[in-house]
Amino acid sequence: MAANPQTALSGLARALIQKERLSEADAIACTTGDATTNAFLHEVTQRKLLSARAIAQFASETFGYPLFDIAAVSQEYLPQSVIDANLARKHQVVALAQRSNPNRLTLAVADPSNMRVFDEIRFQTGMQLELVIAEVDKLAKLAEQLGTSTKESLEKLSMDGELGALDVALEDDTEEAGSSDIDDAPIVKFIQKMLIDAINDGASDIHFEPYEKFYRIRIRTDGILHEVAQPPLALKEKIAARIKVISRLDISEKRVPQDGRTKLVLSKSKSIDFRVSTLPTLHGEKIVMRILDSSSAMLGVDALGYEPEQKQALLEAVSRPYGMILVTGPTGSGKTVSLYTCLNILNKAGVNISTAEDPAEINLAGINQVNVNEKAGLTFASALRSFLRQDPDVIMVGEIRDLETAEISIKAAQTGHLVLSTLHTNDAPTTLERLKNMGVAPFNIASSVIMITAQRLARRLCSCKKPINIPIESLLQAGFRGDELDGGWQLYGPGGCDRCKGSGYKGRVGIYQVMPISEEIARIIMTGGNSMDIAAQAEAEGISDLRHSGLLKVRQGVTSLEEVLAATNE
């Protein structure tokens, strides 16, 4: 026999010959000269001299390594980033598990005699290897899937949808982002596609979340989080760095939370702002991008879901020259949109409007917006004091958090200014009691507050809604009055279609309790009455609480009973 082909045989091939599992002639014939790792084994299986299963069993018994079924592996839990993708594909090896103490890597291989390959991987990873044996055909298939380069994967993702001429733009046009090493086209296109898809789906937030064994992207649509993508775990650093670059954040700082903003330019006249928040977690930086669409403030009162009498009461309060209007509700209940809608109504050439926010979520031309910065000493209270020296007509305070801010706001409302603000309370009556508990004198509350609006958001039924029947006892228990169950209306529940992606809901509608401060309610405040006394008087004046406002939306077929019960379950 010629010396050269025999010398080229691997340790596994020679072992197969020695154990008479393969003839020397067949082994040399299968040595094609292809330098690719495992080429010999593939040739053996293709010639049907031995099966991949038989080779794996022989290698396990001969070299003393465990036999592992690679087909049982879930790709998303593999530590894909530990070995370079091209290296893993070239040598047809798969990293199965990684341990930091001791620093070891479990590696699935078909030929455990190829020490040159293992030396290269040890050098690249700096880790000691623990080998397991896998069938060569299954291993090659998995290594090829995992070895598809990051660039190819992202280019496919980014080109699935038509991006047109859309572009992510910084608030300040600089060359910093363009010159960054992070600014490679596939990552840019991928993130841009995520943002555009989220906007098209009507999302309010996008979550980029790293975990130990996978990385996921979720969007919040109509108040519900949905997973939309699972990029390769190896990309978590690049994705985070790119988002931080376009948001003007420090990409080298990963130990503390950061807040920033960026903008997606859709056309010359249309752009979407994003508020960006980073949070260091155990497995990397979680990033949440809040979508701030200024067009939401231009919808008008009619689109928000106010009933006619509620809308009329709100417009009358907004048209008052002075006083305080408070909007209450939990986080995510639409308070900001309601306030901006009121500001948009007031935003006229002859009106000076100033806002103090943390931070300003929607940019409105013609309104002087200030971001509070407590670290720098710019608090709500200090901003309010400055506003009063700026000849304001309308003042908006993002939130009344303390007695100082409350007292300055009330002083402004008593001295000829219209003040709008928010509080985190459950309903309108408890808002007045909350102010009193903060230390505001009852007289000041009664003489300054002119209206309180409590609100919640419920999902709208899609056009695919379907009629349902619920026992009368259950309807009465939910809060319907007996005279309302006259059979003159139909109850609807969610259906499911392509438009709503099977959820049965599309968009959200507001549920409101709009309570003007009447003379009788003001008297109850002045005489030390509590929230229950105020609620009883409001009901006597025909003001619907949140539950009954929601039930009216159910009767109108706008939303489902289930949604109203969930939104108003105090």
Side-chain angles (χ1 to χ4, degrees):
M1 291 292 168
N4 287 344
Q6 193 171 5
T7 304
L9 292 175
S10 70
L12 177 57
R14 287 194 291 270
L16 287 167
I17 295 170
Q18 291 171 3
K19 298 289 186 180
E20 298 181 351
R21 304 295 296 273
L22 196 66
S23 71
E24 188 172 353
D26 285 337
I28 292 173
C30 292
T31 306
T32 61
D34 186 347
T36 305
T37 302
N38 297 337
F40 167 79
L41 299 182
H42 287 297
E43 190 68 20
V44 170
T45 58
Q46 286 174 7
R47 290 174 182 243
K48 297 185 178 180
L49 299 172
L50 287 170
S51 68
R53 179 69 177 174
I55 295 173
Q57 287 177 332
F58 176 82
S60 174
E61 294 168 0
T62 303
F63 292 90
Y65 293 111
L67 186 63
F68 186 82
D69 183 8
I70 201 76
V73 170
S74 179
Q75 293 184 31
E76 62 187 55
Y77 296 118
L78 296 179
Q80 299 176 35
S81 60
V82 69
I83 300 178
D84 178 76
N86 292 326
L87 186 67
R89 180 168 56 178
K90 174 185 173 184
H91 295 313
Q92 294 183 352
V93 296
V94 171
L96 297 178
Q98 178 182 3
R99 287 184 294 173
S100 57
N101 189 21
N103 194 24
R104 292 185 180 275
L105 179 68
T106 302
L107 196 68
V109 302
D111 184 353
S113 67
N114 199 337
M115 302 309 298
R116 181 184 56 82
V117 171
F118 306 144
D119 288 340
E120 185 177 356
I121 293 174
R122 286 190 194 96
F123 178 79
Q124 188 248 320
T125 62
M127 306 178 75
Q128 294 301 311
L129 301 182
E130 294 180 345
L131 302 184
V132 297
I133 307 299
E135 296 168 50
V136 66
D137 52 349
K138 296 178 181 178
L139 183 65
K141 182 179 179 181
L142 181 58
E144 182 67 27
Q145 292 171 349
L146 298 177
T148 300
S149 69
T150 295
K151 183 173 182 179
E152 291 170 357
S153 299
L154 286 183
E155 281 179 346
K156 182 180 185 305
L157 279 169
S158 63
M159 296 312 294
D160 280 346
E162 204 50 52
L163 296 183
L166 302 173
D167 189 23
V168 175
L170 297 173
E171 293 190 348
D172 300 321
D173 292 331
T174 70
E175 297 298 322
E176 180 179 339
S179 62
S180 170
D181 292 337
I182 303 303
D183 194 13
D184 56 299
I187 294 289
V188 173
K189 288 181 180 179
F190 175 69
I191 293 175
Q192 183 173 325
K193 183 180 186 300
M194 288 292 100
L195 301 187
I196 293 168
D197 287 349
I199 293 169
N200 290 337
D201 287 344
S204 60
D205 302 87
I206 313 172
H207 295 239
F208 297 84
E209 302 172 314
Y211 296 94
E212 182 180 7
K213 296 180 179 179
F214 67 98
Y215 186 85
R216 72 179 177 186
I217 299 174
R218 295 191 292 174
I219 64 173
R220 188 179 294 278
T221 307
D222 298 336
I224 307 296
L225 275 172
H226 305 277
E227 184 176 310
V228 294
Q230 274 204 20
L233 183 62
L235 296 182
K236 65 179 182 180
E237 298 292 345
K238 286 190 174 183
I239 291 174
R242 173 60 189 169
I243 294 174
K244 288 164 78 173
V245 165
I246 63 174
S247 306
R248 315 300 290 165
L249 301 177
D250 183 356
I251 64 171
S252 65
E253 181 56 78
K254 303 177 183 180
R255 299 165 300 175
V256 297
Q258 297 186 68
D259 296 299
R261 292 178 74 99
T262 189
K263 181 181 293 185
L264 181 68
V265 179
L266 301 175
S267 67
K268 290 183 178 180
S269 59
K270 174 72 172 177
S271 64
I272 304 291
D273 288 311
F274 294 84
R275 190 179 75 201
V276 181
S277 172
T278 71
L279 180 68
T281 68
L282 286 176
H283 305 292
E285 289 183 285
K286 175 180 177 179
I287 298 176
V288 176
M289 302 181 73
R290 167 65 60 88
I291 301 173
L292 308 172
D293 187 358
S294 58
S295 62
S296 61
M298 309 298 178
L299 293 175
V301 179
D302 295 327
L304 299 183
Y306 287 95
E307 299 301 328
E309 65 276 9
Q310 293 176 336
K311 171 188 168 184
Q312 183 62 32
L314 180 64
L315 293 177
E316 287 178 1
V318 168
S319 65
R320 298 268 291 269
Y322 59 88
M324 178 181 286
I325 299 173
L326 295 173
V327 180
T328 76
T331 301
S333 60
K335 300 188 298 295
T336 299
V337 172
S338 294
L339 285 177
Y340 275 107
T341 300
C342 293
L343 291 179
N344 196 49
I345 294 171
L346 296 166
N347 191 11
K348 297 180 174 61
V351 180
N352 179 21
I353 303 175
S354 295
T355 73
E357 305 168 69
D358 185 22
E361 294 196 1
I362 300 174
N363 295 330
L364 288 180
I367 294 177
N368 308 293
Q369 296 173 275
V370 174
N371 279 334
V372 300
N373 186 343
E374 295 193 1
K375 290 183 179 178
L378 181 57
T379 62
F380 281 120
S382 60
L384 274 171
R385 290 192 186 93
S386 297
F387 289 167
L388 295 176
R389 296 190 290 269
Q390 292 275 319
D391 185 31
D393 297 303
V394 178
I395 295 172
M396 196 267 273
V397 185
E399 182 184 351
I400 295 178
R401 298 176 179 171
D402 50 54
L403 177 59
E404 184 182 17
T405 305
E407 288 181 334
I408 299 172
S409 299
I410 285 174
K411 178 183 176 183
Q414 292 172 332
T415 54
H417 308 93
L418 184 63
V419 179
L420 287 74
S421 190
T422 70
L423 273 171
H424 288 282
T425 55
N426 288 332
D427 58 16
T430 57
T431 302
L432 297 170
E433 193 164 4
R434 170 74 182 277
L435 287 173
K436 189 164 62 174
N437 291 339
M438 288 174 67
V440 180
F443 171 80
N444 286 331
I445 298 173
S447 62
S448 59
V449 179
I450 59 175
M451 169 172 285
I452 300 173
T453 298
Q455 65 182 73
R456 300 289 188 276
L457 289 177
R459 291 184 291 174
R460 285 182 183 270
L461 286 168
C462 180
S463 54
C464 64
K465 63 186 179 182
K466 58 184 182 183
I468 61 172
N469 293 313
I470 295 179
I472 291 180
E473 293 78 10
S474 298
L475 296 177
L476 290 170
Q477 187 177 3
F480 282 104
R481 295 190 296 269
D483 59 343
E484 294 173 331
L485 304 177
D486 55 5
W489 52 276
Q490 175 63 54
L491 197 68
Y492 289 93
C497 65
D498 292 339
R499 183 171 178 266
C500 62
K501 298 183 178 179
S503 69
Y505 297 95
K506 186 69 175 176
R508 289 194 286 180
V509 65
I511 299 173
Y512 302 93
Q513 179 185 25
V514 179
M515 188 179 80
I517 305 302
S518 64
E519 290 186 5
E520 189 58 31
I521 291 177
R523 186 191 63 78
I524 293 172
I525 298 169
M526 299 259 309
T527 55
N530 57 32
S531 59
M532 296 180 64
D533 298 327
I534 297 170
Q537 178 60 33
E539 184 179 0
E541 294 179 8
I543 297 169
S544 297
D545 61 16
L546 285 167
R547 173 60 62 86
H548 282 94
S549 292
L551 294 178
L552 180 57
K553 294 285 192 296
V554 173
R555 293 176 60 189
Q556 295 167 348
V558 174
T559 189
S560 66
L561 179 60
E562 181 183 14
E563 278 293 297
V564 169
L565 294 180
T568 61
N569 186 20
E570 305 300 348

